C-alpha cells in the first residue's frame, strides 16, 4: 500500500482553535440566547449562513418541538449569602432546560437536585432534561462533599415556554445535481471536543469550499443534536434521498489522540468507502467503530426509513475519552494540530468526492508509453519501477472499478490515483465512463 | 454478544431418561417385534402417533424394501451346553438381520462369523447386514480371546422373509401452511446416545408442541434410519419441497459432553441459520461439523434432488465419541442433564421458528421513546445504556433483516430480540413485513 | 484435502533440457536470425508449426512494428587488438537492438555505453533498447572494473531497418469449438529459466496434445514478448473473446525451487480456478503472486479491453530469483526434474480442462450402492470409509457445482473427482449437465 500523508495546515489549526475559544463560554442549549450568539459569531466566518426558526409545538415525525429556554441566571446561595454554585462560573452548573425556581431548601432536599460524578471528583457533569420538567444543578463531587447542613437559596431565573428552535444552513451550489452534506451541532455548552471542534472544522471547510467552484452541491447544517436533525430530515428527507451522495457528521474532531470512524448503518455506502479510502490512503491508524456504538446524528440520518449514506470521521469519539460530557472537555483537550488533522482528513474526503469517477482504458493492450515519455526507453531489470503506478492504473481501469475500488485494488492512495488517471485521460489513454 | 443461557428442566430430563431406560432392552432393528414394541411405548407418551407399514419389495427411489426380520433367539453354546454368547443377554450379540442357522462348528469355522473390537476389548460392536444374507455374532474381544477349541452349537432362531417395514408419524397442524419437521430413528438396539436420546427428546418436544396452538405445522417421524427416510421422501418429497421451512434430525442428543451441529449440505438454509442463531444466542460452545462428516438421515434429506433445509443438532456426534456403535453406548452415557440440554436447545430452535418474522420501522428517525416510558427522561452519560437493546432493534429494523440477521447484527439473543420487537410492534413503532 | 502427487516423467525432463541446451546459444531478439533458427529447431520437435511474418511499420493497436535487427558481430577491442568484450563469447554482451557503430573511444566515453551490475559482479545483465536508437555493451562488473585507460575500438556490425517480426503458431483442432491457448516467448538470448524453459515445456505439451484427439481446440503461440502478443491480439482478440476458455503464459517453468502462480487480472476466471485446483489437488506448495506483480504477456492478454482468462503457472517467477535477467540464468538454473514438474502441472491443467463438466445426481436420495458392488455389504463402524469419496461426489453433484467447485467442496483432487464422476455416470447414477 502506497500512502500519502495528510498535509497539516497549522495556521488554519490555530484559527480554528481561536474560534472554538471565542465560542466556548456561550451558554448553548437546544434553544435560547447562547445558540443565537453562536450563529452570530459563525456568520462572520463565512458567507450565506441562513437561520431557520421552527416554532414550539411543530411536529417532526414522532417528535414535537419543545419549548424555548432562556436562562438569565442560576445559582445556589448558602445562608451566608455566598453563591457556592453559579452558572455564571460555568455553564454546566445548571441542568439544561431547568424550569424556573426560587426557593430555600435544606441540604437534604437540595441533594435530590444535584448531579456529580464520584469517579471523576473534579469534573462537572453535563446533564439535560429537555422533555421532562425539572430543575437541577451539576457540580464536582469534591464541591458536593464539602456542602454542610444549611438552608440554601436556589434560583433558576429562566423562561421556559413557547418560542422557537433554530438551525443554521449553508448551501454551496455545484455544477452537478449531486449533493454532499456536512452536519454538526451547536447545542452543548462549554465543551470543546464534543461540541466546538465540530463547528470550527465545519466553518473552515465552508471557507475552503466557498473559495472556488465545486462539482457537487454542498449542504451544511448547524443543528441542535437529535431534535435538529430530525426537524431537518422532516423537511428534506425526500430531496436528500434523491440527491445525496455522501454525508458526514462532524463532532469530536479536535483532539490529537487518534482518528475514529463511525460507519453508516449499512457500512458500505459511498460515504463509508470514501472515508475508508482516505484513512487508508493517508496511512492513518484509526479506531473503526461499529454502528452499534453510534451516538450522534447518524442515528437519524441512517435510521431505517431515512437511510442516507452518512458516516462520522472523528478524532477521539464521544463516550470513548475520559473528559467526555464533563467540564474536563475544555480547550486543553483540543489543539490546533488536532483540529488541523481533522480538517485535513475531511478535506481529503471532499476532494475525493470531487474527483470520484470511473475510468476505462481507451486502447486495447498496454499503450506504448515510451513514445509519450511515460516509460523508460532502455530496458534493464528495475528500470520500469517508477512507471508501475501508472501501468497499474491502466491495467485495472476496466470501466467497472470506481476510483475507490481502483485505488484499493492497486494499493495506492485515492487522490494520487485520481491524479494519475486524469493525466492518462489527457494522453487519451483513459476515458471517464 | 448478549447471550441468554438455556433454561434446563431437570424434571423433564429425568422423565426422558426414564423413557430411554424403559426402551433400552427392546430388540430394535429395521423391522420386527422390537420396533413394534417401541411404537407401543411411544404411543403412551403423546397423542396421534400413526404407524405406516410398507411391504417388502416396495420400491423407494433406488431402493427395495427388504424382508422383515423376526428374531426369537440367538446364541452360541459350547460342548458343555453353556450359552457363551446369548442374544438374550445383550441385543448386540447378534448381527442385525442374521439369517436363520442351527449348526455345529469348530472354533476355526466359527471365527469367520464373529465380530469384536481389538482396540475396545470390553465393547460388543454393533454390526448389521441388511442387504446381504449372512449370520454372525458380536462379542467383546476379551470374550473372543477366551474361546477354546471346541465344537460350538450355533443357533439363530429367526424368520427372515416378506413382511413389512414400519415408521411412525405425528402431524401437529398449525395455523399456517408452513411446516417444520423432526426426524428421529428407531432401529438401533440397546444403544442410548446413538438411538434412544433421539426418540426421548422427540417425544418430549411433541408433548410440548401439542400443549398449545402453533403457527407452523409440525411433522414428526420415527423411521428406521436410511431406508425409512428414503421411503418417507419417496412419499412426501414434493409436498415437503413446497412447505418445509426447516427440518431437524434428532440423534445423539443425550450426553453431557458438548453440543454439535451438522449443517445442511448448503450450509445456509433457514434451518442452519436458526440452529446457529440459537447456539450463539445461548452462548454455547459447540462442535461445528462439516457436511462431509454427515452420517444420519440428513444424507437423504439434503441429497441433491431432495435438497431440504435439514440440520442436526446433537450433543456428542455419532462417530466422534468413544462408545459410539458399541455396547458401551449405554444408559450411563446419557443423563437427565444432557437430555434436558438437548431438549432446551431444540425447543429454542422451534420457538425461534414460531417467532420468525422480519420487522420494519414504522416511523422515520428515532421515535421519541421517553414519552412512552421506554427511555430515561434525564440525560447524563450512561443513563441510556439499558435502552440500548431496544434502540438497536429500532435502528436495524429496515424490513430487510429477518429475525436471525437482526439478532446477529445487533449481537443479541434471537428470542430476546423477538420479544423486544413484539413489544415495539405493540407501541406501533415497528411493523412485521 | 485428499491430494494426488504429480507424476514426474524424468525421461521427458531430460529431453526438454536437451532442447533448451540446443537452443541456448541462438542469438534471439525481437527479430533476426536467432529467432529464425529457433523456429527451425522447434519445427523438428512437433507438427504444424506455422510462421507468421509482420512487416516493420504495421500498426498493432497503439504500437508500430519496429525495424528488424540482424546482428553479425559486436565487440570492444583494446589498443593491443584484444577483443575484451565479444558478443560471440556471450549473446548478452551486446545491448539488444544496438544500432551499427564502428568507432574509437576513450575509456571515459566508452563508459556511457556500458552496463553492469555492481551488486552481482559476475553477472552480465540483459539490456535492450527496442524503441530508442542507441548502442551499448553489457559486461560483468568485475570486467568493467578491470578496464584501463586506453583507446577502444567499438564495433556493432548489424543491420537495423525495415524488415519483419515473426511469430510461430500451432493449431490443434478439437471436437468442440472451445479453445485453450498456450503462449510462450522466443526473444530472450541465452537465458534458460526466463526463456527456454517456456518453449521446451510448450513443445513437450504440443507433442502430447498432438498424440490423440482432444475435446478443445488448442492454440499455441511462440511470440516475441509484448510486441508479439499485442500483434497476435490485434489479429485474434475478437475470436478469442468468443471461444477461449482458458489461456496460459509459459515462462520461467524450468527450475526446481518452487511453483508459482500469476493469476489473471480478475483472479477468478476458469484459468485461475483450473490452476488453483490443480496446484491444490497435487498438494503442491507454491507462491501465489498478485496481478500487481505481473510481468509477462498476461499484461496484454488480461488488459481491460482484451480481458481474456489467462494465468501463468511457473516455477520461480521472473524478477523473484537471483539469476533473473542476467547471464547467471543459464542451463544450471533449470533441470530435467524442474522442467518435468512444470510439464506435469501444465498437463494436469489441460487434462482438467478436457475433463471439465458439471454433474448432477440421476436419482433422488442416496442410491443403493451395495447392490452395485460400490459399498460394503456388512455395516460395522469404519467399514464405509473407502466409499466416502464416492458418496461425497454423489452428495454434492447438484448440477450447480462444476468440477472445480465440486473438488474444492469435497476436498478431493480434481482429476480423481472427474474419474469417480465418470464411473458414476457409467452406473447411471450421475449425469453431465
Amino acid at each position: 500500500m502506497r500512502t500519502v500523508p495528510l498535509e497539516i495546515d497549522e495556521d488554519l489549526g490555530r484559527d480554528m482553535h481561536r474560534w472554538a475559544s471565542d465560542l466556548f463560554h456561550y451558554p448553548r442549549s437546544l434553544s435560547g440566547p447562547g445558540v443565537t450568539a453562536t450563529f452570530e459569531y459563525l456568520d462572520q466566518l463565512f458567507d450565506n449562513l441562513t437561520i431557520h426558526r421552527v416554532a414550539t409545538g411543530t411536529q417532526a415525525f414522532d417528535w414535537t418541538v419543545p419549548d424555548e429556554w432562556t436562562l438569565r441566571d442560576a445559582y445556589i446561595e448558602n445562608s451566608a449569602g455566598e453563591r457556592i454554585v453559579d452558572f455564571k462560573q460555568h455553564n454546566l452548573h445548571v441542568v439544561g432546560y431547568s424550569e424556573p425556581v426560587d426557593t430555600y431548601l435544606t441540604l437534604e432536599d437540595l441533594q435530590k437536585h444535584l448531579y456529580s460524578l464520584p469517579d471523576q471528583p473534579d469534573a462537572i457533569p453535563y446533564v439535560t432534561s429537555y422533555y421532562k420538567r425539572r430543575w437541577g444543578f451539576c457540580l464536582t463531587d469534591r464541591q458536593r462533599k464539602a456542602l454542610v447542613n444549611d438552608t440554601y437559596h436556589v434560583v433558576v431565573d429562566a423562561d421556559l415556554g413557547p418560542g422557537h428552535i433554530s438551525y443554521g444552513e449553508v448551501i454551496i451550489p455545484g455544477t452537478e445535481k449531486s449533493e454532499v452534506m456536512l452536519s454538526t451541532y451547536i447545542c452543548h455548552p462549554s465543551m470543546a471536543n464534543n461540541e466546538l471542534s465540530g463547528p470550527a472544522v465545519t466553518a473552515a471547510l465552508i471557507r475552503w469550499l466557498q473559495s472556488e467552484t465545486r462539482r457537487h452541491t454542498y449542504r451544511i447544517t448547524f443543528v441542535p443534536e437529535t431534535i435538529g436533525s430530525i426537524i431537518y430530515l422532516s423537511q428534506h428527507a425526500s430531496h436528500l434521498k434523491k440527491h445525496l451522495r455522501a454525508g458526514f457528521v462532524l463532532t469530536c474532531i479536535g483532539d490529537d489522540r487518534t482518528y475514529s470512524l463511525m460507519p453508516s448503518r449499512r457500512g458500505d455506502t459511498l460515504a463509508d468507502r470514501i472515508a475508508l479510502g482516505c484513512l487508508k490512503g493517508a496511512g492513518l491508524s484509526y479506531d473503526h467503530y461499529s454502528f452499534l456504538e453510534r451516538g450522534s446524528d447518524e442515528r437519524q440520518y441512517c435510521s431505517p426509513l431515512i437511510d442516507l449514506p452518512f458516516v462520522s470521521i472523528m478524532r477521539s469519539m464521544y463516550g470513548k475519552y475520559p473528559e467526555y460530557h464533563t467540564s474536563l472537555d475544555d480547550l486543553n483537550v483540543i489543539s490546533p494540530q488536532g483540529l488541523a488533522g481533522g480538517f485535513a482528513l475531511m478535506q481529503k474526503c471532499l476532494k475525493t468526492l470531487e474527483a470520484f469517477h470511473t475510468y476505462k482504458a481507451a486502447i486495447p493492450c498496454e499503450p506504448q508509453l515510451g513514445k509519450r515519455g511515460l516509460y523508460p526507453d532502455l530496458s534493464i531489470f528495475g528500470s520500469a519501477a517508477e512507471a508501475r503506478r501508472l501501468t497499474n492504473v491502466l491495467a485495472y481501469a476496466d470501466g467497472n472499478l470506481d476510483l475507490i475500488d481502483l485505488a484499493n485494488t492497486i494499493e495506492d492512495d485515492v487522490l494520487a490515483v485520481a491524479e494519475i488517471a486524469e493525466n492518462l485521460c489527457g494522453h487519451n489513454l483513459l476515458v471517464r465512463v
Side-chain angles (χ1 to χ4, degrees), chain A residues 258-272:
Chain A
T258 186
Y259 287 91
S260 303
L261 175 63
M262 169 55 56
S264 74
R265 179 170 54 86
R266 293 181 176 276
D268 62 354
T269 70
L270 183 57
D272 295 273

Side-chain angles (χ1 to χ4, degrees), chain A residues 69 71-78 83 85-88 93-95 98-105 110 135-137 152-158:
Chain A
W69 185 53
L71 180 65
R72 283 178 294 274
D73 206 358
Y75 57 87
I76 305 173
E77 215 172 57
N78 66 13
R83 293 198 174 186
V85 174
D86 187 352
F87 152 75
K88 290 190 173 150
H93 273 315
V94 63
V95 167
S98 279
E99 63 186 344
V101 65
D102 184 342
T103 188
Y104 293 82
L105 296 175
L110 177 61
W135 62 264
F137 286 86
Y152 291 95
H153 183 198
V154 175
V155 174
V156 173
D157 177 14

Side-chain angles (χ1 to χ4, degrees), chain A residues 49-302:
Chain A
L49 176 63
T50 306
I51 307 303
H52 298 270
R53 303 173 77 220
V54 184
T56 296
T58 304
Q59 273 301 118
F61 296 134
D62 193 46
W63 297 66
T64 308
V65 173
D67 285 340
E68 184 168 334
W69 185 53
T70 304
L71 180 65
R72 283 178 294 274
D73 206 358
Y75 57 87
I76 305 173
E77 215 172 57
N78 66 13
S79 59
E82 298 161 340
R83 293 198 174 186
I84 57 165
V85 174
D86 187 352
F87 152 75
K88 290 190 173 150
Q89 295 300 314
H90 202 295
N91 286 320
L92 291 180
H93 273 315
V94 63
V95 167
Y97 265 60
S98 279
E99 63 186 344
V101 65
D102 184 342
T103 188
Y104 293 82
L105 296 175
T106 63
L107 176 57
E108 192 185 344
D109 285 342
L110 177 61
Q111 287 287 10
K112 299 169 194 157
H113 296 271
L114 298 184
Y115 303 92
S116 66
L117 300 168
D119 290 349
Q120 291 178 286
D122 293 312
I124 310 167
Y126 171 48
V127 181
T128 63
S129 183
Y130 297 139
Y131 298 100
K132 163 93 176 185
R133 287 245 168 175
R134 59 160 59 88
W135 62 264
F137 286 86
C138 305
L139 67 174
T140 70
D141 209 56
R142 212 175 291 281
Q143 275 183 294
R144 185 176 193 168
K145 289 217 173 91
L147 294 179
V148 294
N149 278 327
D150 196 354
T151 298
Y152 291 95
H153 183 198
V154 175
V155 174
V156 173
D157 177 14
D159 296 332
L160 183 54
H164 293 86
I165 291 242
S166 302
Y167 68 85
E169 185 187 42
V170 179
I171 307 282
I172 306 170
T175 58
E176 299 183 8
K177 293 223 161 183
S178 52
E179 295 197 5
V180 173
M181 183 165 164
L182 310 180
S183 177
T184 191
Y185 49 82
I186 39 71
C187 58
H188 292 56
S190 300
M191 282 171 286
N193 195 41
N194 181 36
E195 169 86 1
L196 292 165
S197 67
V201 171
T202 303
L205 288 167
I206 293 171
R207 287 155 71 111
W208 169 71
L209 287 167
Q210 289 180 335
S211 68
E212 58 179 78
T213 302
R214 305 290 167 187
R215 171 180 171 199
H216 305 297
T217 291
Y218 288 82
R219 179 181 292 269
I220 303 104
T221 60
F222 298 83
V223 295
E225 207 180 8
T226 303
I227 185 68
S229 55
I230 290 170
I231 289 168
Y232 198 81
L233 287 168
S234 74
Q235 298 168 337
H236 299 283
S238 60
H239 176 88
L240 290 169
K241 282 185 193 195
K242 208 183 298 178
H243 296 292
L244 191 72
R245 309 258 341 237
F248 300 86
V249 173
L250 279 92
T251 175
C252 299
I253 191 166
D255 72 321
D256 208 1
R257 290 175 278 203
T258 186
Y259 287 91
S260 303
L261 175 63
M262 169 55 56
S264 74
R265 179 170 54 86
R266 293 181 176 276
D268 62 354
T269 70
L270 183 57
D272 295 273
R273 297 174 63 236
I274 294 280
L276 283 166
C278 289
L279 283 159
K280 272 175 62 181
L284 296 172
S285 71
Y286 63 98
D287 296 315
H288 194 149
Y289 289 101
S290 157
F291 191 70
L292 293 175
E293 303 182 84
R294 70 201 175 281
S296 186
D297 282 326
E298 69 279 356
R299 287 157 29 218
Q300 315 311 328
Y301 296 124
C302 298

Side-chain angles (χ1 to χ4, degrees), chain A residues 288-333:
Chain A
H288 194 149
Y289 289 101
S290 157
F291 191 70
L292 293 175
E293 303 182 84
R294 70 201 175 281
S296 186
D297 282 326
E298 69 279 356
R299 287 157 29 218
Q300 315 311 328
Y301 296 124
C302 298
S303 60
L305 303 190
I306 300 296
D307 200 21
L308 294 173
F310 255 87
V311 300
S312 192
I313 279 180
M314 292 162 282
R315 304 299 309 248
S316 293
M317 189 171 89
Y318 41 77
K320 301 293 178 181
Y321 60 97
E323 304 89 357
Y324 175 70
H325 265 204
T326 74
S327 56
L328 303 181
D329 187 354
D330 62 18
L331 292 162
N332 295 312
V333 168

